Amino acid sequence: MVDTIFPGIVARRVETPRLVAGVLERPADDPSTTVVFVHGNVSSSLFWQPMMLSLPPRVASFAVDLRGFGDSETLPVDATRGVRDFSDDVASVIDALGLGAVHLVGWSMGGGVVMQLLLDRPELVASLTLQSTVSPFGFGGTGLDGSLVTADAAGTGGGGANPDFVARLAAGDRSDDAGSPRAVYRSSYVAPGFVSEHEDVWVESMLSTATGLDNYPGDSRPSADWPGFAPGGRGVLNTMAPTVFDTSGIVELAAKPPVLWIHGAQDAIVGDASFFDLNQLGAAGIIPGWPGADAAPPQPMIAQTRAVLARYSAAGGRVTELEFENCGHSPHLEHPETFRDGLVAHLSD
């Protein structure tokens, strides 16, 4: 079994009123800054270790496992609350550790989690860093302004997961077969050609994902609209359905902490033509019966995030965007020095 905890990282479990959470810590002797990292879907805090270790000694860093991932309890995810089960859990860990206001770094789904935390507990947020973040309007099923393409957000949520991939996660598949977690990591988490000496650790992190209707991917319900299903109310993927997820309200906050948005130009998961968006798969002819761009347009994810952050900036918030070339969904792994430099500068502002 691969050793998943890097030297210099302390693994602990933190009991809160909401859950027992797995937490990784890179301690600082005399910290002047505290960063809390939040992972994305089908991953865990393990992915953050190299970045935690690379930060200056004055920075104390923590990485929290969301419920049903990593070393945290496997508890049901109530998707009718959007991502609030996750964001409330992270807030409970921050409270339990007595950290006060922290610099939050959220990756992919974790970007949505930290935006939601800002909306609900702004006193806990000194700044936001959004890495390859889910759009403020959720994942799939919306136009540029965030409006729903269909009333029930057909084609989004738990029904969009690949059943074979879910089965491979549940079975602990460590192979490099097509469709395995390792193959998905290589094809979707990073840009083509990227190689990591820690790939076995990243696969273990992915395999820590709890599967089932209450966790990943969640349930679905029938829809009269293509492709025939709509989001349900349980599980991970439904938390980002646009019927329940909308963090664009950060624009209206009275106090606006600075935001750093980092994303890769070759991101296969979050993009204006994401192949994890079923409408894009329909447009490409991969899923049959696509009713056309008027009825089922791909979601312009990057354009949506850029538009919301432009409004945030116009309303008085400070926003910095960094787009990395030759980079997929994981800038902190693929371009660690550039990511670290951008993050440290952001923390110092």
Side-chain angles (χ1 to χ4, degrees):
M1 190 72 173
V2 63
D3 188 357
T4 58
I5 306 300
F6 293 9
I9 298 292
V10 177
R12 57 198 290 199
R13 303 193 85 205
V14 175
E15 186 169 353
T16 83
R18 292 184 54 80
L19 83 167
V20 178
V23 177
L24 299 183
E25 179 182 0
R26 199 294 300 271
D29 292 336
D30 186 21
S32 59
T33 303
T34 301
V35 178
V36 174
F37 293 92
V38 181
H39 65 81
N41 193 15
V42 192
S43 64
S44 75
S45 61
L46 294 177
F47 271 94
W48 289 118
Q49 293 179 98
M51 187 53 53
M52 296 167 73
L53 291 167
S54 75
L55 293 176
R58 65 178 174 81
V59 178
S61 57
F62 299 83
V64 180
D65 287 327
L66 302 176
R67 62 174 58 195
F69 298 93
D71 201 31
S72 283
E73 279 188 277
T74 297
L75 298 175
V77 176
D78 179 1
T80 65
R81 305 183 68 230
V83 294
R84 283 187 175 90
D85 270 0
F86 296 137
S87 58
D88 287 351
D89 289 348
V90 174
S92 75
V93 171
I94 294 171
D95 288 339
L97 294 174
L99 300 180
V102 300
H103 299 271
L104 287 168
V105 181
W107 176 27
S108 195
M109 180 179 75
V113 172
V114 301
M115 285 190 281
Q116 188 65 59
L117 199 155
L118 173 60
L119 285 169
D120 295 338
R121 295 288 305 277
E123 77 279 6
L124 294 182
V125 184
S127 76
L128 285 187
T129 298
L130 307 174
Q131 176 183 244
S132 309
T133 185
V134 63
S135 162
F137 300 118
F139 200 93
T142 57
L144 179 60
D145 63 355
S147 58
L148 291 170
V149 173
T150 64
D152 61 358
T156 72
N162 183 320
D164 177 66
F165 177 66
V166 176
R168 288 173 180 271
L169 281 177
D173 182 358
R174 293 173 174 82
S175 74
D176 58 2
D177 295 343
S180 69
R182 188 182 302 273
V184 169
Y185 160 80
R186 291 175 179 173
S187 66
S188 302
Y189 283 42
V190 295
F194 175 77
V195 176
S196 170
E197 63 179 310
H198 302 301
E199 182 176 281
D200 287 346
V201 178
W202 311 149
V203 172
E204 292 303 316
S205 178
M206 296 172 72
L207 290 174
S208 74
T209 303
T211 58
L213 295 178
D214 281 320
N215 296 103
Y216 179 81
D219 63 348
S220 65
R221 57 191 180 88
S223 173
D225 293 300
W226 186 90
F229 69 86
R234 301 160 62 189
V236 174
L237 292 186
N238 293 313
T239 67
M240 294 175 284
T243 47
V244 294
F245 180 94
D246 183 348
T247 58
S248 64
I250 61 173
V251 171
E252 311 301 330
L253 290 172
K256 295 180 173 64
V259 174
L260 172 62
W261 176 32
I262 300 178
H263 57 105
Q266 286 73 45
D267 192 336
I269 297 175
V270 175
D272 287 346
S274 168
F275 272 75
F276 285 73
D277 178 353
L278 267 67
N279 287 356
Q280 177 63 38
L281 293 177
I286 296 171
I287 298 179
W290 183 60
D294 289 338
Q299 180 191 12
M301 303 178 190
I302 299 297
Q304 288 177 335
T305 299
R306 187 170 285 125
V308 169
L309 292 181
R311 289 166 49 205
Y312 187 89
S313 177
R318 186 167 74 252
V319 175
T320 303
E321 177 184 350
L322 299 176
E323 181 178 74
F324 296 172
E325 289 295 333
N326 303 310
C327 183
H329 193 58
S330 310
H332 70 298
L333 298 183
E334 299 170 77
H335 296 275
E337 294 84 4
T338 312
F339 183 98
R340 181 201 61 220
D341 291 349
L343 176 59
V344 170
H346 178 59
L347 299 177
S348 302
D349 286 346

